[in-house]
Amino acid sequence: MSGETPNQQASSGGNRPRSSRRMAFAQQELRLISALVLLLGFGLFLALPFVLSIGSVVFLPLTTAIILTIILSPLADKLAGWGVPNILASLIALLTFFAVLLLALALILQPAVALFDSVPAMANTVAERFSELQDEFAWMAMANEQLSALMGQSGAREVVLASPSVIQQLAFATPSLLLETLLTLLMTFFMIEARVRLRRHLLFDRASYGTSIKAARVMREIQDRVAAYILTVAWINGCVGIVVAFGAWMLGVEAPVMWGGLAALLNFLPYIGPLIMTAVLTLFGIGTAETLVLGFIPAAAYLALHTIESNVLTPSILGARFTMNPVMILIALSYFSWIWGVFGALLSVPILLMLTAFFDHVGKPNLVGFIFGEPLFATNLMALGLDENATDHAA
């Protein structure tokens, strides 16, 4: 027999259902809050493109400045470690990036301007090649015309809308581009210069020591991951550009340096950039070669090089740390290209890396499991709260 009295047994038996009901109510409340968080997150995901697109003059330079700060901060830290003042180290880091960017654009744009005069001749050659193909497949056009006649379709009128010329578009876009570039450089400089104060703020201005350590780890992981990825990919793409330039020189293609630089820059766009480069080389090859077979050689050689680089070289160098889901990369490309165009496509992978590093520390939401009744996050928040309370009571 137990030493409890009947009143004590009744009291303990009544506490168990009450505690279980309290736990069930807390689980339902947590699930309701998680559902509200998901709905708010989904609404923000849908509304954010319109806000960022309308305010691109502000948000695009800010996002670019944040990514450039992450990339250039290690260089500024290295210069500061050598005794260079913080302001001067930040300025040197920014000017180094700007000089490399101008050099890359000069290597590409200068030969492109010289090659621009031969574009009409290449266009005529491409038209002749496709006219030859069209003559070979003339039976398909005749079949289409007969089908249209049987269906009673007549030729529709074609309405051509007048659009601004290229010079007018450049005249309208140049002031905005200069303003955004100036804002980006200024914000990048001040962010790099303030990096030491930001780190001290994250470490020493938090309420608890554990929060300070976690914030510092998140910031360090984001900086290391994004900077290491971009610098490593830059070296790989530079090697790809050198190989493309050497191959263009061996094949006798005009302006091999321009083709190498273009291949290196487009390779920063996963999947989309190599496709664009392949299409450009195909059109250039058909427009300059004597036959169609010879015209496809530059594109085929580049495609073989890209296959080796993307499937063997890049995965072996980057490793599992930078491995990302291709579906997520394509979603990020389409999402930020929709918002900011070409600049959004260039920034999509660094932004995805920043979000991946952040969620690796905070915790990735279990979206599929949440639909079937599992917690939204792997960490049980109620158990975590109970453990913290027990630790506080023990202390």
Side-chain angles (χ1 to χ4, degrees), residues 111 129 252 274 286 394:
R129 297 286 186 270
I286 295 175

Side-chain angles (χ1 to χ4, degrees), residues 365-386:
N366 184 17
L367 300 178
V368 178
F370 180 76
I371 298 175
F372 296 98
E374 297 178 1
L376 181 60
F377 292 93
T379 303
N380 192 340
L381 299 180
M382 291 184 298
L384 183 61
L386 292 175

Side-chain angles (χ1 to χ4, degrees), residues 16-353:
R16 291 193 187 96
R18 187 179 303 172
S19 62
S20 62
R21 285 196 301 268
R22 188 183 298 113
M23 183 63 69
F25 178 76
Q27 290 177 352
Q28 293 177 359
E29 184 180 11
L30 180 61
R31 185 166 180 81
L32 177 61
I33 294 174
S34 301
L36 292 176
V37 169
L38 281 179
L39 290 176
L40 289 175
F42 185 70
L44 180 64
F45 180 79
L46 294 179
L48 195 60
F50 302 98
V51 176
L52 295 179
S53 178
I54 294 173
S56 61
V57 178
V58 176
F59 294 111
L60 180 57
L62 178 61
T63 307
T64 307
I66 292 174
I67 294 175
L68 289 179
T69 302
I70 294 174
I71 298 172
L72 299 178
S73 290
L75 177 58
D77 292 336
K78 180 68 71 175
L79 293 174
W82 292 343
V84 180
N86 185 32
I87 297 179
L88 186 58
S90 304
L91 183 60
I92 292 175
L94 183 60
L95 291 178
T96 301
F97 169 79
F98 193 65
V100 171
L101 182 62
L102 288 180
L103 179 62
L105 291 178
L107 291 176
I108 296 174
L109 293 179
Q110 184 177 359
V113 173
L115 193 64
F116 186 77
D117 296 334
S118 61
V119 170
M122 287 190 295
N124 293 330
T125 305
V126 172
E128 292 176 0
R129 297 286 186 270
F130 280 104
S131 64
E132 295 174 1
L133 291 176
Q134 188 177 3
D135 293 337
E136 296 180 1
F137 294 95
W139 60 273
M140 295 182 64
M142 295 177 59
N144 188 20
E145 292 177 359
Q146 293 177 0
L147 182 61
S148 300
L150 291 175
M151 297 179 64
Q153 295 180 355
S154 59
R157 293 183 178 180
E158 183 179 356
V159 179
V160 180
L161 299 177
S163 60
S165 62
V166 176
I167 298 178
Q168 291 175 340
Q169 293 178 3
L170 289 175
F172 287 131
T174 298
S176 177
L177 182 61
L178 291 177
L179 177 61
E180 292 183 9
T181 303
L182 181 61
L183 287 174
T184 302
L185 294 177
L186 288 175
M187 283 191 289
T188 303
F189 170 73
F190 288 116
M191 286 182 182
I192 296 174
E193 193 272 334
R195 70 192 184 281
V196 178
R197 295 192 296 272
L198 178 60
R199 292 168 185 169
R200 291 176 180 173
H201 175 72
L202 287 175
L203 283 175
F204 301 111
D205 294 348
R206 303 273 71 79
S208 64
Y209 180 75
T211 306
S212 300
I213 295 299
K214 195 175 184 74
R217 286 177 179 174
V218 171
M219 183 177 178
R220 175 60 64 180
E221 177 66 20
I222 290 176
Q223 177 176 326
D224 291 346
R225 186 174 296 191
V226 175
Y229 175 84
I230 292 181
L231 292 177
T232 306
V233 169
W235 281 108
I236 295 174
N237 293 347
C239 294
V240 170
I242 293 174
V243 174
V244 170
F246 179 75
W249 177 73
M250 291 292 293
L251 293 175
V253 179
E254 297 182 9
V257 177
M258 181 200 70
W259 293 112
L262 190 61
L265 288 180
L266 287 177
N267 214 36
F268 280 99
L269 293 175
Y271 306 109
I272 305 298
L275 288 177
I276 296 175
M277 187 66 187
T278 304
V280 171
L281 284 175
T282 301
L283 293 178
F284 178 80
I286 295 175
T288 55
E290 297 179 356
T291 60
L292 281 175
V293 176
L294 294 177
F296 282 112
I297 290 179
Y302 170 78
L303 195 59
L305 173 64
H306 172 69
T307 302
I308 298 173
E309 176 266 325
S310 60
N311 292 289
V312 179
L313 182 63
T314 300
S316 62
I317 294 177
L318 292 179
R321 186 187 181 194
F322 300 104
T323 301
M324 290 179 290
N325 191 345
V327 177
M328 294 302 299
I329 294 177
L330 293 176
I331 291 175
L333 275 172
S334 59
Y335 186 77
F336 290 103
S337 299
W338 174 34
I339 299 174
W340 291 324
V342 177
F343 294 102
L346 291 172
L347 297 175
S348 59
V349 175
I351 294 175
L352 183 60
L353 279 171

